[in-house]
């Protein structure tokens, strides 16, 4: 309002999730700064080594993202992506985003991520204002390295459980569905 602008539809649509997360932190302060915020397009750019210029909702963009994810988590198929999208009543690009963030979670759990800014400020509730992303110098795996990355990602136990990847605050977090079943902090990797 101060700037005379209206937030985007996407921003307005996630306000209930923002409130849900605020309420969760109010009732479970031990989780503050244990969940790490990320953004799928920034994570895709880091995993790729450069920004993906294709549009994520168009065929070329979907294929480019699926091919990139396959380097880190081999065997993902278009039919699985489409099936999960139908199951969760969302678009295929939302499933690709969730998988990208699950991969980011696996990399984070293994020290292969960094935060921007490096030294974040905190908001009025004491939450760090930062994004967690794969490291800039992360090398894209080649076929012989796929097993190494697959092992890292499998330990997060998130890829095959897309229903536990929850959208919050305009970006996505990878976590167990905290509304249904809170998990112990040591189990949270992003």
């Amino acid at each position: 309002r101060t700037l005379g602008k209206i937030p985007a539809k996407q921003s307005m649509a996630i306000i209930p999730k923002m409130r849900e997360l605020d309420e969760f932190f109010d009732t479970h302060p031990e989780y503050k700064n244990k969940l790490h915020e990320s953004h799928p397009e920034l994570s895709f750019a880091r995993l790729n080594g450069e920004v993906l210029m294709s549009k994520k909702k168009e065929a070329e963009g979907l294929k480019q993202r699926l091919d990139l994810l396959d380097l880190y988590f081999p065997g993902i198929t278009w039919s699985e992506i489409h099936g999960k999208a139908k199951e969760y009543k969302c678009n295929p690009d939302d499933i690709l985003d969730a998988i990208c963030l699950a991969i980011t979670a696996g990399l984070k759990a293994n020290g292969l991520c960094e935060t921007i800014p490096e030294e974040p400020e905190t908001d009025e509730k004491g939450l760090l204002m930062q994004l967690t992303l794969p490291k800039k110098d992360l090398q894209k795996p080649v076929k012989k390295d796929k097993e190494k990355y697959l092992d890292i990602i499998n330990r997060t136990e998130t890829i095959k459980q897309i229903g536990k990847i929850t959208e919050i605050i305009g970006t996505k977090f990878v976590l167990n569905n905290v509304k249904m079943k809170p998990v112990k902090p040591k189990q949270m990797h992003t």
Side-chain angles (χ1 to χ4, degrees), residues 85-104:
K86 284 181 90 170
E87 180 181 344
Y88 293 104
K89 298 178 177 109
C90 64
N91 296 317
D93 63 286
D94 295 324
I95 300 298
L96 293 174
D97 285 352
I99 293 170
C100 178
L101 292 168
I103 289 169
T104 301

Side-chain angles (χ1 to χ4, degrees), residues 72-73 102-104 106-107 110 148-159:
Y72 295 88
F73 192 78
I103 289 169
T104 301
L107 296 171
N110 287 275
K148 177 181 94 171
Y149 281 99
L150 184 59
D151 182 50
I152 287 171
I153 293 159
N154 276 341
R155 284 197 294 265
T156 67
E157 298 179 9
T158 52
I159 296 289

